[in-house]
Amino acid sequence: MQLKDNFDRPIKYLRLSVTDRCNLRCFYCMPEEGMHFLPKNQLLSYEEMLRITDIYSGMGVNKIRITGGEPFVRKDLIHFLEKLSKNPLLNKISITTNGILTKAFLPQLKALGIHQINLSLDSIDEQNFKKITRRDVFTTVMDTFYQLLADGFQVKINAVIMEGINDHEILDLANLARMHPVSVRFIEEMPFNGSGKSKKLNTWNHQKIHKQLESHFINFRKITAPENSTSANYTFDGASGNVGIIAAHSRTFCGTCDRIRITSTGEMRNCLYGHNVLNLKKLMREGCNDSEIKTQIIDVIQQRAKDGFEAEKLRGQLNPIEESMSVIGG
Ligand code: SF4
C-alpha cells in the first residue's frame, strides 16, 4: 500500500529525530543555556524507532532522514543505523549533522550504504561560526566537511541565512560549490527558536537570496531538482557543484509535500509548522499492535493541512510556534 494524505499526496519520506540534545547552541534554534533536555525514558528507544520505521515502510515510506538535535550525540547511533539499513523497503537513509562528532563514523556509514549527508554550516568564518553556534568547533566541522568530500559522500550544506548575521557570507558559502562537488543550500530562517519570540525582521527570503546569487555568478541558471525536493537548485559557469534555495518560511513547495516527522519523543507531525497529531510512543507503550497503530496513522494523515500556512493557522492562537527546531528535528 502507499500511504496518501487527504490531498492525494503520497507519503514516502520520514524525518526521524533521534534526540533533542545537541552539542551546539545555535541562537536561532535554542537559548544559550540550552533547553531542558528530556530524560532518556521519555525519548523513543532504538527498538521503538525500528518498529516505527518498519510500520511506515510497510505503508510506502522508502526514504528516512535521521535528524536531532544532533544525531551523533545519541549513544550507539551507529548500531541503530546498522539495524535500520537492513530494512529492505528503504531505498535511502540520510543524515543531517553538525559535523562535530561525525568524522569518526564515516567509514561505518559508508559501509552501511549511507552516502548522503547534510552538514549544517551557517558560516565559513571562524569567528562568525562561533558567534552563531556559541561553540568553538569550527575547525572540527570543516575537517569533517573535507573528509566527507575526500571519502566521496554526497554532501549538502545547509546554511540558514540571517539578517545582519551571515547574509554577508552568501557568496563565500556559494563559492564552496565552485570549488567542490557539493550542494550549498540557503535556507530561509524559520521561527522555531525555542523562545517563540520572533526576532527582528529577516528580509532574506528566497527571492532576495536568488537575486544576490544571480547578480554575482555568470550564467546562473536553474537545474532540475529531485522529485518533491524543497530546494530550487541552480548552477553557474565554473561550478563543480550547485546551489539550492529552500523557501522554508515562504513555504512555496507544499503542493508536493511527501514528508512527515517523528519527534524524538515519538510524536507524529503532519507538517513542520503544524502541531503534533499522534503519540506513537504512548500507543506502543500501551501495548497497541502494529495494525492498530497503522489504522491511527492512516486516520490522522487524512487530516493534513494543504500547506504550512494552514498548518500554522490550525495551531490556533493558544498554541503559537514556540518550540525549538531541535525538538522537531528540522
Ligand atoms: S511546510 Fe508543511 S506542508 Fe509544507 S512542505 Fe513543509 S512539512 Fe510539508
Side-chain angles (χ1 to χ4, degrees):
M1 75 158 283
Q2 176 57 62
L3 185 63
K4 285 189 175 180
D5 70 9
N6 40 329
F7 298 92
D8 208 37
R9 295 174 291 198
I11 305 300
K12 295 184 173 181
Y13 180 14
L14 175 65
R15 296 176 66 100
L16 174 64
S17 169
V18 296
T19 181
D20 60 338
R21 293 170 187 255
C22 187
N23 44 6
L24 286 180
R25 292 288 179 276
C26 303
F27 74 79
Y28 60 83
C29 177
M30 67 169 86
E32 168 130 23
E33 65 280 9
M35 302 173 330
H36 298 294
F37 294 125
L38 297 164
K40 197 159 179 223
N41 65 357
Q42 288 190 33
L43 298 183
L44 288 172
S45 67
Y46 285 137
E47 290 67 35
E48 288 168 334
M49 290 183 204
L50 288 169
R51 188 175 164 200
I52 287 173
T53 51
D54 285 348
I55 289 172
Y56 280 100
S57 60
M59 296 198 287
V61 164
N62 57 25
K63 180 179 162 186
I64 295 196
R65 174 168 295 282
I66 303 298
T67 67
E70 165 52 34
F72 287 98
V73 301
R74 182 141 182 189
K75 199 164 161 291
D76 299 333
L77 178 75
I78 207 73
H79 301 319
F80 165 66
L81 294 173
E82 274 161 15
K83 292 185 180 144
L84 183 65
S85 64
K86 293 197 171 64
N87 181 335
L89 299 174
L90 296 177
N91 302 341
K92 191 175 183 182
I93 300 170
S94 52
I95 302 176
T96 298
T97 176
N98 62 25
I100 298 172
L101 301 172
T102 321
K103 192 178 166 192
F105 297 99
L106 296 184
Q108 289 160 288
L109 293 178
K110 196 129 205 192
L112 293 175
I114 298 176
H115 299 299
Q116 207 278 292
I117 304 285
N118 284 22
L119 184 65
S120 306
L121 185 65
D122 302 313
S123 171
I124 47 175
D125 171 282
E126 183 153 9
Q127 290 317 310
N128 207 22
F129 178 96
K130 198 171 163 187
K131 197 171 110 192
I132 294 169
T133 63
R134 301 176 180 130
R135 293 292 180 271
D136 194 3
V137 288
F138 177 71
T139 317
T140 308
V141 173
M142 291 312 286
D143 252 5
T144 299
F145 171 59
Y146 291 116
Q147 193 63 50
L148 282 164
L149 291 175
D151 292 352
F153 282 86
Q154 195 199 337
V155 184
K156 296 179 180 178
I157 286 179
N158 288 351
V160 177
I161 300 303
M162 298 158 278
E163 188 103 22
I165 304 291
N166 64 345
D167 48 359
H168 63 285
E169 290 194 63
I170 289 175
L171 301 180
D172 294 341
L173 283 159
N175 264 316
L176 288 175
R178 179 194 296 282
M179 298 177 277
H180 306 290
V182 62
S183 179
V184 179
R185 293 112 57 82
F186 299 100
I187 305 175
E188 292 178 346
E189 189 180 3
M190 291 173 275
F192 304 98
N193 57 28
S195 68
K197 296 193 209 73
S198 55
K199 291 191 297 316
K200 63 181 174 41
L201 180 66
N202 184 345
T203 62
W204 284 97
N205 63 11
H206 61 284
Q207 287 116 333
K208 189 174 177 184
I209 295 169
H210 180 272
K211 201 157 167 243
Q212 168 85 333
L213 295 166
E214 191 181 39
S215 66
H216 182 81
F217 292 103
I218 299 165
N219 195 12
F220 187 78
R221 57 200 183 275
K222 195 155 190 177
I223 54 176
T224 316
E227 197 196 355
N228 302 330
S229 172
T230 55
S231 181
N233 296 341
Y234 304 86
T235 191
F236 49 89
D237 288 0
S240 308
N242 62 63
V243 295
I245 303 172
I246 301 180
H249 198 221
S250 306
R251 291 159 261 191
T252 55
F253 38 67
C254 300
T256 58
C257 179
D258 66 344
R259 66 200 69 88
I260 52 153
R261 290 165 171 83
I262 307 290
T263 70
S264 55
T265 54
E267 296 273 6
M268 176 180 167
R269 193 178 267 227
N270 272 343
C271 169
L272 174 61
Y273 284 85
H275 50 77
N276 297 335
V277 293
L278 188 63
N279 187 335
L280 295 159
K281 180 185 70 188
K282 189 164 171 288
L283 293 177
M284 289 187 287
R285 294 184 185 182
E286 285 172 353
C288 290
N289 64 34
D290 289 6
S291 100
E292 288 164 333
I293 294 175
K294 274 185 184 168
T295 306
Q296 300 219 25
I297 291 171
I298 293 166
D299 187 40
V300 292
I301 214 88
Q302 296 312 313
Q303 298 151 31
R304 268 188 113 200
K306 76 174 181 329
D307 62 27
F309 292 103
E310 189 181 290
E312 187 173 357
K313 213 159 98 211
L314 288 170
R315 295 173 69 124
Q317 305 266 319
L318 300 175
N319 183 15
I321 292 178
E322 288 180 342
E323 61 271 32
S324 160
M325 192 60 97
S326 77
V327 172
I328 311 164

